Amino acid sequence: MRKKVWAGAVSGMLLLGLLAGCGGGGSNTAETGTEPDQKAAGEKTEGTDKVNLRLYTYGTEEAYNWNKTLQAYEEKNPGVKIELVQLSEKGDTQEAMKKLDLEAASSAQMDILMFSDAAGYAQRVALGMAEPLDDYIAKDGFKVEEDYKVDTHLGDKVYALPGKFNPWYVILNKDHLDEAGLAVPTDWTWDDFADYAKKLTKGEGAQKRYGTYFHGPQGGGWMEFLKLKMENQPQNSEFLKADGTSNLDDPNFKATLELRMKMEKEDQSSVPYTDMISQKLAYRTQFFNQSASMLLIGSWMNTELGGTEKVPLNFNVTVAPFPKNNPGDEKGLTPVTTDYVAVAAKSKHKEEAYKFVRWYTTDGQVVQGKNIPAWSKVTNDQVAGIIDTILSGTKNPEKVDKKALVDTLIASKASAIIPPATYQSEVYKAINEEYEKLILGKQDIDATVKSAQERVQKIIDSNKK
């Protein structure tokens, strides 16, 4: 079956490349790579020992501090020049990946590649775009699962090292906690989370303040909110297992549905699903307007925690880790997003490209100073310094509980990557639709689990052919 999944990925990506190639004439930064004088950008400059490496990225200067970062590397490695190929001026990852696929199909020189998510990483590995790094890693004498907080293995091989580290966490209105006499959580369970939400809920009608707001699922997206008790497990944190079989018989799937139903229908402590859909609610305004006291979200919010011009902060904010299922469970496991930094399979200077990838995902992340690194060797003081820099760009950094934020980020780690199936969106849509029947009172939890299992199995079976 796995071969068929990868074959589907390859077919889908080739079709994507063809469709992208039929597009109109907008500017394409990466197209410069096909000019005659740049085709051999990875070659050594004639008469010198200097190596020019091309780095393909969706990251903007504002978000990634490229000038400072690449200059620092070149100063440490005077024989190397890093040429930045920005695939999207807006940092649009979908636009960037389409252009990357076109470049890969051309004669353009590629040395270092960045993928924005596990799906994009796995799909392009299936297309043969990334070089296995296992021999380089063995020579350097480290293990990815020990040196980084994100394990980038696909099967038994590693094709990329992780850059930034954006774990999910819970942000809380500290003023509301103080008002309710609640301590800032440092290690808690979903039962604790539900109890906090109930105690933080206040008022009635249009002026009601809810304990929490869940921003999903919706339209087959934001499915993290239907895997709450699956995502904090070291393995099998997805709706599908690594071998492509259904994971909906996991008791934690049903337990997540039970949690969502209890909080919305029984405790009435979470914003109703119907309000989220009908009013097209935004999670930022729900939290910063103090309509909800707690928000489960990704730590891309670090840059906004202290408030912005568009969304000001008028209260004190603190942070807590992603809740566990049971008190004795491992602490810190949470959904994580990262950058997957790879060596291009067609690079003529793989050794030099790997050396940059290793530096960039370790010391380079500290130099960059824009995100929390996935590198586990980063010290607490370094994380605190990066957070200081990030918060200094907000309107009211003094209102953010920096210690709680730093402690939460340091303790966070990702579960094992599960290579996504090519039909993942179909699975998400089916489960989302069954959840809507549940939350709208059209079927009970047992019927929801059974129907979701049956529909997902049909999707799996139809894709085996």
Side-chain angles (χ1 to χ4, degrees):
M1 168 172 175
R2 177 163 292 199
K3 289 182 179 177
K4 292 184 178 180
V5 170
W6 289 131
V10 172
S11 299
M13 293 305 298
L14 289 175
L15 177 60
L16 176 65
L18 288 172
L19 290 174
C22 296
S27 65
N28 184 341
T29 309
E31 284 177 1
T32 59
T34 61
E35 293 297 323
D37 62 338
Q38 294 190 31
K39 281 185 179 179
E43 298 285 359
K44 290 185 179 180
T45 304
E46 188 174 348
T48 74
D49 291 329
K50 200 164 193 115
V51 173
N52 194 53
L53 300 176
R54 305 191 85 206
L55 164 59
Y56 285 76
T57 180
Y58 43 82
T60 62
E61 173 63 27
E62 181 182 29
Y64 282 80
N65 214 357
W66 287 121
N67 289 333
K68 176 185 175 183
T69 306
L70 300 185
Q71 182 180 348
Y73 185 75
E74 290 169 359
E75 287 175 356
K76 285 176 65 73
N77 299 272
V80 179
K81 171 71 176 175
I82 307 295
E83 179 187 347
L84 191 70
V85 183
Q86 288 186 294
L87 296 161
S88 172
E89 294 182 3
K90 307 184 297 290
D92 184 322
T93 56
Q94 289 185 323
E95 174 192 15
M97 290 304 100
K98 288 179 181 179
K99 291 179 179 178
L100 181 66
D101 294 334
L102 285 173
E103 287 287 282
S106 75
S107 59
Q109 180 63 35
M110 309 178 85
D111 298 291
I112 302 150
L113 313 175
M114 283 180 64
F115 309 123
S116 63
D117 56 67
Y121 167 45
Q123 287 172 340
R124 286 162 183 85
V125 165
L127 288 169
M129 287 172 60
E131 181 76 6
L133 302 181
D134 303 87
D135 289 345
Y136 300 106
I137 291 169
K139 187 177 178 181
D140 274 356
F142 70 91
K143 293 182 179 180
V144 171
E145 61 271 29
E146 294 176 357
D147 247 35
Y148 297 92
K149 293 184 177 183
V150 180
D151 185 350
T152 52
H153 276 88
L154 286 176
D156 59 354
K157 290 186 179 295
V158 174
Y159 296 86
L161 297 179
K164 68 185 180 184
F165 182 70
N166 276 348
W168 280 53
Y169 52 23
V170 182
I171 53 178
L172 306 93
N173 186 312
K174 180 65 164 58
D175 295 355
H176 292 174
L177 288 181
D178 292 345
E179 177 189 286
L182 297 171
V184 176
T186 57
D187 186 8
W188 58 342
T189 65
W190 284 112
D191 287 342
D192 297 329
F193 180 88
D195 183 56
Y196 266 56
K198 190 173 181 179
K199 290 175 178 176
L200 290 166
T201 299
K202 184 177 181 180
E204 296 292 338
Q207 302 304 313
K208 182 174 181 177
R209 184 188 82 199
Y210 289 90
T212 196
Y213 169 74
F214 295 114
H215 193 57
Q218 47 179 302
W222 292 98
M223 296 300 287
E224 293 88 352
F225 293 99
L226 280 188
K227 297 182 288 180
L228 298 177
K229 291 197 170 189
M230 300 169 72
E231 290 168 318
N232 53 17
Q233 304 301 297
Q235 301 288 333
N236 295 328
S237 59
E238 252 289 357
F239 296 128
L240 298 178
K241 296 179 182 177
D243 63 2
T245 59
S246 173
N247 195 30
L248 295 186
D249 59 351
D250 186 330
N252 289 323
F253 172 57
K254 181 178 180 180
T256 298
L257 299 179
E258 291 171 338
L259 176 71
R260 293 293 304 269
M261 285 292 287
K262 177 182 185 296
M263 293 184 68
E264 178 171 332
K265 304 299 184 182
E266 184 180 328
D267 297 346
Q268 297 182 11
S269 60
S270 64
V271 176
Y273 183 80
T274 51
D275 287 2
M276 181 195 74
I277 297 298
S278 63
Q279 299 175 34
K280 297 181 179 179
L281 297 177
Y283 61 82
R284 287 177 177 84
T285 50
Q286 284 294 295
F287 182 73
F288 286 103
N289 288 352
Q290 304 192 67
S291 299
S293 300
M294 300 190 297
L295 177 67
L296 182 71
I297 202 67
S299 57
W300 57 79
M301 287 297 292
N302 288 345
T303 58
E304 302 177 46
L305 285 184
T308 62
E309 290 284 357
K310 290 183 179 179
V311 188
L313 176 66
N314 299 308
F315 54 92
N316 293 297
V317 173
T318 191
V319 180
F322 197 84
K324 305 187 298 189
N325 295 344
N326 306 294
D329 288 352
E330 185 177 357
K331 181 182 176 181
L333 283 165
T334 178
V336 169
T337 58
T338 189
D339 295 319
Y340 298 85
V341 192
V343 173
K346 63 195 261 186
S347 172
K348 296 179 180 177
H349 295 286
K350 295 184 177 69
E351 183 82 42
E352 293 89 344
Y354 165 77
K355 185 177 178 183
F356 172 81
V357 168
R358 175 63 171 163
W359 176 86
Y360 174 74
T361 59
T362 54
D363 293 324
Q365 289 294 292
V366 179
V367 171
Q368 200 167 58
K370 283 289 188 178
N371 297 285
I372 302 304
W375 189 32
S376 59
K377 299 296 189 338
V378 172
T379 67
N380 294 5
D381 287 344
Q382 286 173 314
V383 172
I386 294 170
I387 288 298
D388 277 336
T389 301
I390 292 172
L391 292 179
S392 68
T394 65
K395 299 295 288 183
N396 295 103
E398 75 283 354
K399 291 183 177 293
V400 180
D401 184 349
K402 192 186 84 170
K403 184 180 185 305
L405 173 58
V406 171
D407 289 348
T408 296
L409 292 171
I410 289 171
S412 298
K413 50 196 163 188
S415 56
I417 292 175
I418 299 175
T422 55
Y423 47 86
Q424 194 102 314
S425 61
E426 296 178 61
V427 170
Y428 285 173
K429 184 173 183 290
I431 296 172
N432 194 156
E433 289 172 353
E434 294 306 316
Y435 173 75
E436 286 195 350
K437 294 175 188 175
L438 169 67
I439 205 72
L440 298 177
K442 296 179 181 179
Q443 66 186 13
D444 63 20
I445 287 178
D446 288 334
T448 299
V449 172
K450 184 173 184 293
S451 184
Q453 289 173 334
E454 290 173 350
R455 289 184 65 181
V456 167
Q457 191 58 52
K458 284 181 181 179
I459 292 170
I460 293 171
D461 292 341
S462 68
N463 280 275
K464 285 180 180 178
K465 301 172 184 177

